[in-house]
């Protein structure tokens, strides 16, 4: 499959988990993928692993909450290729706690990475996409947008991403830019491992409990999400915009 041949993709939070797998899939689809993450060492490890697999990747360290760094990132990619075709807003953090124990910092940090980060990267990406009259923006929401105990900050941010996605789809459609969101269910990554740690239970126990509520009777993998991202990123998906695809092993809202 080389459906993304000659295309330039940027994936945030690409060092591990879902972002890593989306990066790999887009590279296998034929794109040149810029891996972006906040920690240089983790980023370079993933970059070197992908290079060994002969994938067409580059790595740029950037914090998506820092406008100067985001601006520099897009200027660098634009300078090298003159375009950005695909943006995956995937970088994320959790700072879970019940409301009465949630600090303002927990709230602000989650809003900053998910909402401000998605806003900033989309803003700089659309500049390039409008100029080239083509683009695919894919934002990571979550089933938590429907409500999730202990995640008031994260649920609000992930619901916000859905409104942001639908709005950009309206604003950018006339430039042949589609904007969609993927709302993953329970996916086995370091993020869900951290949830098990907070609950004080082994990861396997959390997986077992979650699987009981998932109609297809298994937990999700980063590959499941990469598949959906590849679908939205395809030039053939040009009539699909402003959608939220729940990739959760069963029906969600
Ligand atoms: P993960 O394993 O924790 O990976 C997230 C990556 O984002 C990490 O490499 C992290 O770097 C990076 N990151 C954090 N803050 C950043 C910043 N300011 N700038 C750049 N990069 C930053 O998470 P995941 O499970 O793969 O989740 C990926 C996305 O899917 C997130 O948006 C998450 O909310 C969403 N999601 C996940 C699930 C799930 O079940 N796993 C379900 C629904 C939605 P550090 O290592 O330095 O923090």
């Amino acid at each position: 499959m080389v459906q993304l041949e000659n295309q330039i993709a940027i994936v945030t939070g690409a060092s591990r988990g879902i972002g890593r797998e989306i990066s790999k899939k887009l590279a296998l689809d034929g794109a040149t993928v810029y891996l972006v993450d906040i920690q240089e060492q983790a980023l370079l490890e993933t970059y070197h692993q992908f290079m060994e697999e002969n994938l067409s990747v580059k790595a740029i360290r950037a914090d998506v909450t820092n406008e100067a760094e985001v601006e520099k990132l897009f200027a660098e990619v634009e300078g090298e290729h003159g375009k950005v075709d695909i943006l995956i807003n995937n970088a994320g953090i959790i700072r879970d706690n019940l409301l009465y124990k949630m600090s303002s910092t927990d709230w602000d940090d989650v809003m900053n990475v998910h909402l401000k980060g998605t806003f900033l990267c989309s803003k700089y990406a659309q500049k390039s996409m409008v100029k080239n009259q083509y683009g695919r923006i894919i934002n990571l929401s979550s089933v938590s947008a429907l409500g999730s105990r202990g995640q008031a900050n994260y649920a609000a941010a992930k619901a916000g991403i859905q409104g942001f996605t639908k709005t950009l789809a309206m604003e950018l459609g006339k430039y042949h830019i589609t904007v969609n969101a993927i709302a993953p269910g329970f996916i086995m990554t370091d993020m869900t491992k951290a949830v098990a740690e907070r609950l004080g239970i082994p990861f396997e126990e959390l997986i077992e409990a979650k699987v009981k509520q998932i109609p297809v009777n298994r937990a999700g993998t980063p590959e499941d999400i990469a598949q959906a991202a590849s679908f939205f990123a395809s030039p053939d998906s040009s009539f699909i915009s402003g959608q939220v695809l729940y990739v959760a092993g069963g029906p969600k809202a």
Side-chain angles (χ1 to χ4, degrees), residues 12-20 36-39 42 62-66 89-95 112-114 140-144 154 158 161 182-192 222 225:
T12 70
S15 293
R16 56 194 173 108
I18 292 171
R20 185 185 197 280
V36 176
D37 214 297
I38 191 165
Q39 286 188 43
D63 175 352
V64 296
T65 68
N66 182 318
N89 282 310
N90 166 83
I93 59 167
I94 47 171
R95 296 288 182 268
N112 272 333
V113 177
H114 292 277
L140 268 291
S141 178
S142 167
V143 293
S144 297
Y154 184 77
K158 290 307 200 186
I161 282 177
I182 300 170
F186 182 80
I187 310 296
M188 293 177 292
T189 68
D190 290 342
M191 188 177 272
T192 40
I225 307 306

Side-chain angles (χ1 to χ4, degrees), residues 10-13 34-38 60-79 84 87-91 112-128 137 164:
I10 295 180
V11 181
T12 70
Y34 279 78
L35 313 171
V36 176
D37 214 297
I38 191 165
I60 299 181
R61 196 216 70 85
D63 175 352
V64 296
T65 68
N66 182 318
E67 182 157 9
E69 292 185 17
V70 172
E71 185 173 15
K72 193 163 160 268
L73 157 72
F74 281 89
E76 208 171 316
V77 179
E78 174 78 24
V84 174
L87 167 65
I88 313 284
N89 282 310
N90 166 83
N112 272 333
V113 177
H114 292 277
L115 284 178
K116 189 176 176 196
T118 298
F119 157 69
L120 287 175
C121 291
S122 302
K123 188 174 164 194
Y124 285 95
Q126 64 84 36
K127 235 175 155 178
S128 175
I137 298 177
F164 182 74

